[in-house]
C-alpha cells in the first residue's frame, strides 16, 4: 500500500554539459552508453533528412525478419536495380540475377552504403512490396518511442516526408546494436564478401586508417555515414570507446558545399571527433548514491521500542559528470512520508529521492526499508482506543450525554423545588 502511494522511479539520464568549441552540424546528440547519460545536445528534436543513416532501420527490419542471415539466399532482381537509375545513388555493384545471402546484402548496404542492397532487401522482406517494408520501418520507429520520425524509403534518398531527429536516431541505433552482426558489419573497413574482385570499402573515414586521413579516429567504431548533398548535409552515426568509456554520437546537417559547389570537409565527422575528445578528456563516471548508505530517517509508528526507521537507496547510482564536479553539489530532493506504520519488510519502497545537477534532472531512485519490523498489537490497540476517544463522533456523543445529563439534573432540581413548594404549610398554635 505504501508503494502504491509513489510513482515508480523514472531515470531521466540527462546531464548536459557546455562545450568550449564551435560545431558545424545543425543537430547533435552525444550519449554515454555505459550509464545511458545524455551529455550534450544541439537541436536534438529538430527534424532532419537522415540520408543513408536510414539504413540502420533497414538493417533492423531485415535482421528481425530473417532467422538465418548467412544461409537465407536472395536473388537480385533487375527491375529493382533499375529503380535507382538516374538517382546518383551510392551503390554496392550488385548484379542482376545473382544470388546473395541476406548477410552479404547487409554488408553491401552498410559498408559502401549500397542503395541497391537496401532496395533488394526491402523487396525481399516485403514479399515484393517495398511499401510494406517501409510500413514496418515506421511501425518499429513508433515501437522504439521515436516521436519525430517517418520513413518513405529504405535507403534515405530525400523526400519531404522522410525525416528523423538525432534523438530518435540514437534510440534506433542503440536498439540496432543489440542485433546479430550489426556491430561487426558496421565497423568493417573493407570486405571481399561478394568476391575478391568486388571489394566493399567503407564510406566512414573515421574507421579507415588507410583512406581516412586526418578524419581517421582510432577510437571510433562504425556506424553509418550519410549525405544527399545540401539537402541533408553531412550526416554521421558513430560510436567511440576509450579507457572503458563508450559514447554514441549522432551528427546531422553539417554544410556540404559552398556557392561555387566546392565541397566542405566533413563537419559531421569533425564534430563527432571533437565531442568524443571532449568527453574522454573531461567526463568520468562518479558514484552519486551508494546502496549501503543511509539516505533518510523517518518516524515509525506501532513498533515496540523503536520510533524511527532508516531508508536507503534501492540501488547504487552512478552517472557521467565533469571531472571537477564535487559529488556534494548534487541536489537531492526527498519525497517521503512524515511517518509510516509497522509492519515493514526489508526492501519495501517507502519513498524516493530526485537527483539533479545544475538544475538538470539526473535520476529518481526508490528509497527502501533496510530491515524487518513487526507491528506491536498493544500499541496499535492503544492507538485505536486513543483514536476512538478523540474522534469527533465520540466527542459529540460525550457532549450530548453531558447535555442530557445536565438537562436531567436541571429537571430533577426544578421538580424537587416544585414539589417542595406544594407541601402543606403547618400552622402552629400560639401560646
Amino acid at each position: 500500500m505504501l508503494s502504491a502511494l509513489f510513482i515508480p522511479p523514472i531515470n531521466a539520464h540527462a546531464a548536459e554539459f557546455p562545450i568550449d568549441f564551435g560545431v558545424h552540424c545543425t543537430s547533435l546528440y552525444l550519449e554515454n552508453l555505459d550509464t545511458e547519460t545524455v551529455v550534450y545536445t544541439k537541436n536534438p528534436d529538430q527534424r532532419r533528412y537522415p540520408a543513408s543513416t536510414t539504413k540502420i532501420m533497414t538493417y533492423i527490419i531485415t535482421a528481425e525478419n530473417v532467422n538465418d542471415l548467412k544461409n537465407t539466399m536472395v536473388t537480385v532482381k533487375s527491375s529493382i536495380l533499375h529503380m535507382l537509375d538516374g538517382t546518383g545513388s551510392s551503390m554496392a555493384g550488385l548484379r542482376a540475377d545473382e544470388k546473395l545471402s541476406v548477410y552479404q546484402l547487409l554488408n553491401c548496404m552498410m559498408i559502401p552504403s549500397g542503395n541497391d542492397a537496401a532496395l533488394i532487401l526491402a523487396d525481399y522482406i516485403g514479399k515484393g512490396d517495398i511499401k510494406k517494408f517501409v510500413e514496418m520501418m515506421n511501425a518499429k520507429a513508433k515501437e522504439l518511442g521515436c516521436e519525430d520520425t517517418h520513413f518513405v524509403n529504405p535507403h534515405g534518398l530525400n523526400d519531404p516526408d522522410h525525416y528523423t531527429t538525432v534523438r530518435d536516431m540514437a534510440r534506433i541505433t542503440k536498439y540496432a546494436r543489440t542485433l546479430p552482426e550489426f556491430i561487426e558489419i558496421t565497423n568493417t573497413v573493407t570486405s571481399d564478401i561478394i568476391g575478391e574482385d568486388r571489394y566493399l570499402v567503407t564510406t566512414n573515414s573515421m574507421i579507415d586508417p588507410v583512406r581516412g586521413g586526418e578524419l581517421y579516429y582510432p577510437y571510433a567504431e562504425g556506424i553509418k555515414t550519410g549525405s544527399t548533398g545540401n539537402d541533408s548535409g553531412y550526416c554521421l552515426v558513430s560510436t567511440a570507446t576509450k579507457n572503458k568509456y563508450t559514447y554514441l554520437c549522432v551528427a546531422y546537417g553539417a554544410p556540404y558545399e559552398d556557392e561555387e559547389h566546392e565541397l566542405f570537409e566533413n563537419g559531421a565527422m569533425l564534430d563527432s571527433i571533437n565531442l568524443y575528445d571532449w568527453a574522454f578528456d573531461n567526463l568520468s563516471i562518479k558514484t552519486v548514491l551508494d546502496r549501503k548508505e543511509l539516505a533518510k530517517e523517518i518516524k515509525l509508528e506501532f513498533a515496540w521500542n523503536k520510533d524511527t526507521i532508516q531508508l536507503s537507496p534501492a540501488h547504487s547510482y552512478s552517472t557521467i559528470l565533469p571531472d571537477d564536479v564535487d559529488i556534494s553539489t548534487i541536489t537531492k530532493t526527498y519525497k517521503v512520508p512524515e511517518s509510516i506504520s509497522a509492519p515493514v519488510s526489508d526492501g519495501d519502497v517507502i519513498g524516493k529521492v530526485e537527483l539533479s545537477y545544475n538544475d538538470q534532472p539526473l535520476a529518481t531512485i526508490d528509497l527502501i526499508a533496510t530491515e524487518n519490523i513487526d507491528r506491536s498489537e498493544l500499541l496499535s490497540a492503544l492507538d485505536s482506543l486513543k483514536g476512538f476517544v478523540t474522534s469527533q463522533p465520540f466527542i459529540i456523543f460525550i457532549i450530548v450525554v453531558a447535555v442530557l445529563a445536565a438537562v436531567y439534573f436541571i429537571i430533577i432540581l426544578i421538580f424537587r423545588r416544585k414539589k417542595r413548594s406544594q407541601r402543606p404549610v403547618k400552622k402552629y398554635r400560639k401560646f
Side-chain angles (χ1 to χ4, degrees), residues 378-416:
L378 174 60
L379 293 178
S380 177
L382 291 175
D383 185 78
S384 296
L385 179 60
K386 176 184 176 182
F388 173 73
V389 172
T390 58
S391 66
Q392 185 177 8
F394 184 78
I395 293 174
I396 293 174
F397 171 77
I398 293 299
I399 293 174
V400 170
V401 170
V403 170
L404 291 176
V407 171
Y408 173 77
F409 286 119
I410 291 172
I411 292 174
I412 292 298
L413 182 61
I414 293 174
F415 177 78
R416 287 179 176 178

Side-chain angles (χ1 to χ4, degrees), residues 112-125:
S113 197
N115 285 4
D116 46 358
L119 280 180
I120 294 297
L121 287 169
D123 176 75
Y124 175 75
I125 302 299

